[in-house]
Amino acid sequence: MGDGKMLEVCETSVGMSSLAIVNTSPHHHVQIKAPIISSYDDDRIRPLLDTVDKLRNLDVMSEGIQLPTIVVVGDQSYGKSSVLESLARISLPRGEGICTRVPLVMRLQQSSSSEPEIWLEYELYGKKKVDKTDEEHIAEAIRKATDAIAGSGKGVSDTPLTLHVMKSGVPNLTMIDLPGIVRIAVDGQPENIYEQISAMIMKYIEPQETIILNVLSAQVDFTTCESIRMSRQVDKTGERTLAVVTKIDLAPEGLLQKVTANDVSIGLGYVCVRNRIGNETYEEARLQEELLFKKHPLSMIDDEIVGIPVLAQKLTQIQATMITRCLPDIVQRINEKMDNSTAELNKLPKVMTSTREALFTLLHIIDDQCMHSTARLADMLGQFSANLQAHPQTVTDEFMMDEIKVLEECKSIGLPNFIPRSAFLAILSQRVDAIHTKPVQFIRETLDYIEGVLLSVLTKYSENFPQIQSSLKRAGRNLITKIKEQSVNRVIEIIEMEKLTDYTCNPEYMTVYTQKIAAQGSFITAVQSNNSNMCNLNASGFGNVQISHLRKYDAQLLRQAFDMKVRITSYWIIVVLRIVDSIALYLQFSVKNLVNSQLQKENGEELVNSSGGGEIEKMLEEPPSMASKREKLKNSIKLLKESKDAVAAIVDQNSGY
């Protein structure tokens, strides 16, 4: 440079590189720094942005999964495009009216190459288009692509246009620039242009994952800005809104009060900037910006909220924080969506491409009809439960004598009034032995009934296929025989389990025990009274019982026996219900599971060889609506799987930060 000046690269107080003009004249040494925009933590941010951009390209948002995004909004002519030009160091379309007519996704990437790479991507008539361009022709390329998407008029479209900029001096950012807000349509614009733009803006800024970059003019009252009104509708506290104040050189007075008073709830703060004017280079614009903020009254504004470099750093940090915070939720939503779509796809009828598959489907229909005969099974289970509970619960007829005999047999050296667990298990074993044949008898009777139902259904639904009836019925009988054998063994195991072990987490046990044990004291007193005429007693919870035979036992043994009686009575309620529930669950599970699998396994080949097709082949045809739904679900699952793969690596990487 001439005039005794030279360029130096310096470090600013916030750690950003800057371009300095130093006067090397012997009489002057004045240094003016113009920060060069650089990225914050490139190694971390670039993979984050790449992942989000890949998810956006995969159109994962069509599945209802929102992505972290910086959305740029502002009223028309507030300098929104100029701010983006300063960040991207490129020229965007200019002119009267709306310059941005489609959502412009600006993907900026720091590059070490001296030659910038710039290209546009968009979808037209269902096909992806890629247009390469350069810095000189970028505005024209954007204008042509916009006309192709939204038409050559002055209307807007919500079909996005993606601008890729790879060059040195730009931050690693992805932003979406939306049309500037206009209140009144001008010549050539649709009458409802305000409603169209408002609806587009609200669609983009409503998701909680969106960071709103609100561009304001220093010349106006912030509270009157339409973009502020919109952002406050979806972000009342302003926790995801950052404001950029432009045109500060035109209205410097009172700016400090505006950005510190925060009358419009800007939670992420303000950044005041000076945009490029006229034919200034971007380097000259940054120098002029820094000089401007050194003049009164703008010099009173904190350096941490002024300048394009500060804006770039803030956006980069905010974006990285938001993406990192949202990634786990995105992974969870992808997994949930994929699980739901997979489950829904699996519920659809299987596509049948052969007679064999059609025959297997017939078997499923038969199985389902068989499973509908549950009303009778419910009645049988109810009768079985009542039968078990009504069965005599004692070995002897005399009240408490079972307990007394067991306690005397299990007597040992130990603490007084302590009931040995072996005594409890002995009583429990006696009771289980008394009913152990009933569950086995019930399962056999139930399966006899199911066999009759199965054979009846097989006969009914295969009557149009006499050539396969005998095979189906034979398979049914074989199946029931197998179920009977397995079920009897399982029931015996259940009974043995109840006989040899004791446990419950059912609160009903303690409720019943507490109620009954309360009568222990009065019962012992009545037994030991000298009233020989009192032979019977109405014991709470046990009814009218004979007590004369108990008078020969001491009080300690009686207390233990009564306690044992209460415990076993309370626990027996649980045991009976558990036996019934276990048998009911096992019965339903085993019948449904074995019928569904074994009929196909045993008779599939035989049915295919013997049926020869016929009427059953009509089942091969799938309705168009079902085919469309199936294809949609398959595409959804494919997209979600690709999205999951894209996110997996970056989630693992970010777990270390």
Side-chain angles (χ1 to χ4, degrees), residues 22 61 133 230 260 323 350 501-503 566:
V22 180
M61 297 176 74
T133 184
M230 289 184 181
T260 53
I323 293 175
K350 186 178 178 182
T501 59
D502 59 326
Y503 172 76
V566 171

Side-chain angles (χ1 to χ4, degrees), residues 243-526:
V244 181
V245 185
T246 64
K247 305 191 177 184
I248 52 175
D249 49 329
L250 302 179
E253 298 293 336
L255 180 60
L256 176 61
Q257 182 180 358
K258 279 186 177 182
V259 299
T260 53
N262 195 20
D263 295 330
V264 290
S265 300
I266 304 296
L268 295 177
Y270 293 81
V271 178
C272 304
V273 301
R274 175 195 180 275
N275 288 324
R276 189 165 60 102
I277 299 175
N279 295 322
E280 288 178 344
T281 65
Y282 293 103
E283 290 76 12
E284 291 170 344
R286 298 288 66 78
L287 288 171
Q288 292 301 321
E289 180 180 61
E290 185 151 328
L291 285 171
L292 179 64
F293 282 110
K294 291 184 181 297
K295 298 177 182 177
H296 184 78
L298 296 179
S299 60
M300 299 175 65
I301 301 176
D302 192 334
D303 289 344
E304 297 296 321
I305 63 168
V306 298
I308 289 293
V310 170
L311 173 61
Q313 187 182 42
K314 274 183 176 287
L315 287 174
T316 307
Q317 292 173 330
I318 291 170
Q319 180 176 243
T321 301
M322 177 61 82
I323 293 175
T324 304
R325 184 190 306 164
C326 291
L327 274 179
D329 189 47
I330 290 173
V331 172
Q332 181 179 347
R333 291 184 186 180
I334 288 174
N335 287 333
E336 289 174 354
K337 285 280 185 180
M338 190 161 65
D339 290 345
N340 292 338
S341 295
T342 302
E344 190 174 354
L345 181 63
N346 291 337
K347 288 180 182 178
L348 296 182
K350 186 178 178 182
V351 177
M352 293 172 288
T353 58
S354 67
T355 305
R356 175 178 179 173
E357 288 181 305
L359 287 167
F360 285 170
T361 301
L362 171 63
L363 295 179
H364 275 301
I365 294 173
I366 294 172
D367 298 341
D368 290 340
Q369 292 297 321
C370 185
M371 289 303 103
H372 290 165
S373 304
T374 56
R376 173 60 180 149
L377 288 178
D379 290 340
M380 295 173 72
L381 281 167
Q383 293 172 10
F384 171 60
S385 176
N387 193 334
L388 278 188
Q389 294 182 56
H391 191 275
Q393 299 176 7
T394 58
V395 177
T396 63
D397 294 329
E398 294 178 307
F399 185 68
M400 281 195 347
M401 286 309 298
D402 288 344
E403 287 75 19
I404 289 175
K405 288 179 180 179
V406 169
L407 285 169
E408 288 182 331
E409 291 172 0
C410 296
K411 190 180 295 183
S412 61
I413 299 175
L415 295 174
N417 205 32
F418 181 82
I419 299 175
R421 183 166 181 266
S422 59
F424 182 85
L425 289 176
I427 291 289
L428 178 62
S429 178
Q430 289 177 3
R431 291 203 174 194
V432 173
D433 281 339
I435 58 98
H436 78 278
T437 60
K438 292 185 176 295
V440 175
Q441 180 182 354
F442 167 76
I443 200 71
R444 286 189 172 130
E445 291 175 353
T446 303
L447 290 173
D448 286 342
Y449 166 74
I450 290 175
E451 181 177 11
V453 171
L454 177 61
L455 294 177
S456 174
V457 172
L458 288 173
T459 301
K460 178 180 178 180
Y461 284 90
S462 63
E463 60 187 6
N464 292 330
F465 309 97
Q467 66 273 30
I468 64 172
Q469 260 191 359
S470 59
S471 296
L472 290 174
K473 294 171 79 171
R474 183 170 58 253
R477 292 191 186 94
N478 293 338
L479 176 62
I480 293 299
T481 301
K482 183 183 298 184
I483 294 175
K484 281 182 181 178
E485 182 180 351
Q486 293 177 348
S487 298
V488 167
N489 291 336
R490 176 59 177 161
V491 169
I492 291 173
E493 186 178 58
I494 291 172
I495 299 302
E496 284 297 303
M497 178 175 64
E498 295 292 353
K499 178 179 177 180
L500 300 176
T501 59
D502 59 326
Y503 172 76
T504 183
C505 62
N506 192 331
E508 183 68 14
Y509 168 75
M510 286 305 302
T511 301
V512 175
Y513 173 82
T514 303
Q515 291 172 351
K516 291 182 180 294
I517 199 65
Q520 184 186 46
S522 60
F523 179 83
I524 301 301
T525 300

Side-chain angles (χ1 to χ4, degrees), residues 74-75 78 181-183 194 198 214 222-233:
D75 291 30
Y78 276 13
I181 303 168
V182 294
R183 292 176 175 81
Y194 170 77
S198 297
N214 214 319
F222 294 166
T223 60
T224 65
C225 294
E226 185 68 9
S227 62
I228 287 291
R229 186 189 68 81
M230 289 184 181
S231 64
R232 291 182 72 176
Q233 286 184 39

Side-chain angles (χ1 to χ4, degrees), residues 377 443 446-447 450 583-592:
L377 288 178
I443 200 71
T446 303
L447 290 173
I450 290 175
I583 291 176
L585 288 172
Y586 177 76
L587 186 64
Q588 293 184 77
F589 170 79
S590 60
V591 171
K592 187 174 181 64

Side-chain angles (χ1 to χ4, degrees), residues 5 26 61 83 85 150 152-153 169-170 175 185-186 212 237 246 254 262 283 352 363 404 481 551 561 634 641 649 657:
K5 298 177 182 178
M61 297 176 74
V83 170
E85 283 184 340
S152 56
V170 301
M175 302 171 290
V186 298
I212 306 170
T237 62
T246 64
N262 195 20
E283 290 76 12
M352 293 172 288
L363 295 179
I404 289 175
T481 301
R551 289 198 169 101
K634 285 182 178 179
K641 282 182 177 178
Y657 284 95

